[in-house]
Amino acid sequence: MSAIRLLRRNATTALLVLSVWITLASESVQQRGEHARFDDTGSESTEKAVLTAIGLAAALGLGAAITAVVQKYQGQIH
């Protein structure tokens, strides 16, 4: 199996896992936001902060996964 094919498969797996995690996390945040909206007036800013934190964590996780895969197979790519 060539390094490019292995890299592509690992990247595809990482992206699939990440997309499932983001989908599940966003649904959970929406449900919590709906419940919080009825409780207090600060729920909108809290919901935005949580969504921003999840987005940032997802972006950092994706960047770390790609960096790790590239570093692992960098010698084989050249």
Side-chain angles (χ1 to χ4, degrees):
M1 183 177 293
S2 70
I4 300 295
R5 189 176 295 161
L6 187 60
L7 179 65
R8 184 178 298 150
R9 185 172 55 172
N10 286 342
T12 303
T13 302
L15 287 174
L16 179 62
V17 169
L18 184 63
S19 64
V20 168
W21 181 81
I22 289 172
T23 302
L24 294 175
S26 66
E27 287 180 18
S28 176
V29 168
Q30 284 178 342
Q31 288 176 353
R32 288 179 185 234
E34 289 173 4
H35 291 292
R37 224 177 264 141
F38 295 111
D39 293 339
D40 62 358
T41 57
S43 63
E44 286 187 26
S45 60
T46 303
E47 182 179 355
K48 288 178 185 175
V50 170
L51 288 174
T52 302
I54 289 173
L56 181 60
L60 290 175
L62 180 60
I66 291 172
T67 302
V69 170
V70 168
Q71 286 180 354
K72 182 175 182 181
Y73 297 107
Q74 190 169 11
Q76 297 176 2
I77 292 173
H78 291 291

